[in-house]
Amino acid sequence: MLLLVVLMGTLLAGLGQRATLLAERERERELLFRGEQIRRAIVSYRAAAEPPTWPASLQDLLADRRSGVVRHHLRRAYADPFTRQTDWVVIPAPEPAQGWMGVHSRATARRLLQHEGPQPDNGPLLSDWHFVAADTVPEKPGLPK
């Protein structure tokens, strides 16, 4: 009987670790999705005015009033799935431009997904995934399945 209890405990512990790992991978996929949505919104924001300008805040992507007609480049202010806040680190636009051209997470944990990310040269941390709308960054073909 004691052997059965030990065996069941070991099995349940293994299942718990697997469930935690799957949840972390899902949060990473959600980070990729949300960061890509923000990147695309920045691209849309820049294309909506001549000359193209960078957004000054996340609110600019939610309600763009530059043309007199409100445009919504981003449906909502996505929270970082790891910090659960809209506290993205903004990547400033190149000088002399004003505003920002991308975001990345504040999360400093090592990532689990190895071959996925917004740029092919991403590093081992979640904060290394930069979602940038710059002419020098190649277009990402798609999000992970």
Side-chain angles (χ1 to χ4, degrees):
M1 183 70 155
L2 183 58
L3 182 60
L4 184 60
V5 170
V6 169
L7 190 59
M8 290 294 287
T10 303
L11 180 63
L12 289 175
L15 287 175
Q17 287 177 340
R18 176 130 172 94
T20 300
L21 185 64
L22 290 173
E24 285 299 306
R25 284 187 178 153
E26 185 55 37
R27 283 181 23 186
E28 286 186 18
R29 285 187 181 95
E30 189 62 25
L31 174 67
L32 290 170
F33 172 79
R34 293 176 185 190
E36 179 65 10
Q37 293 303 305
I38 294 171
R39 187 197 70 77
R40 288 180 182 195
I42 296 169
V43 169
S44 175
Y45 180 89
R46 286 187 46 81
E50 194 58 45
T53 58
W54 297 102
S57 71
L58 191 59
Q59 292 302 319
D60 289 346
L61 301 178
L62 295 170
D64 179 5
R65 293 180 170 84
R66 294 176 296 171
S67 67
V69 177
V70 178
R71 291 193 56 190
H72 305 283
H73 303 283
L74 192 62
R75 283 190 301 170
R76 63 180 180 188
Y78 287 106
D80 180 326
F82 287 91
T83 65
R84 295 186 176 101
Q85 306 277 329
T86 56
D87 63 346
W88 300 91
V89 176
V90 296
I91 300 167
E95 293 291 334
Q98 299 292 316
W100 51 279
M101 65 180 190
V103 296
H104 67 83
S105 176
R106 291 188 185 279
T108 57
R110 294 186 68 80
R111 60 188 176 83
L112 299 174
L113 299 176
Q114 295 302 312
H115 300 291
E116 301 176 37
Q119 298 171 2
D121 60 343
N122 52 51
L125 304 177
L126 293 168
S127 59
D128 292 330
W129 278 336
H130 291 194
F131 304 93
V132 179
D135 298 333
T136 59
V137 177
E139 184 71 22
K140 184 173 178 283
L143 289 172
K145 304 284 185 249

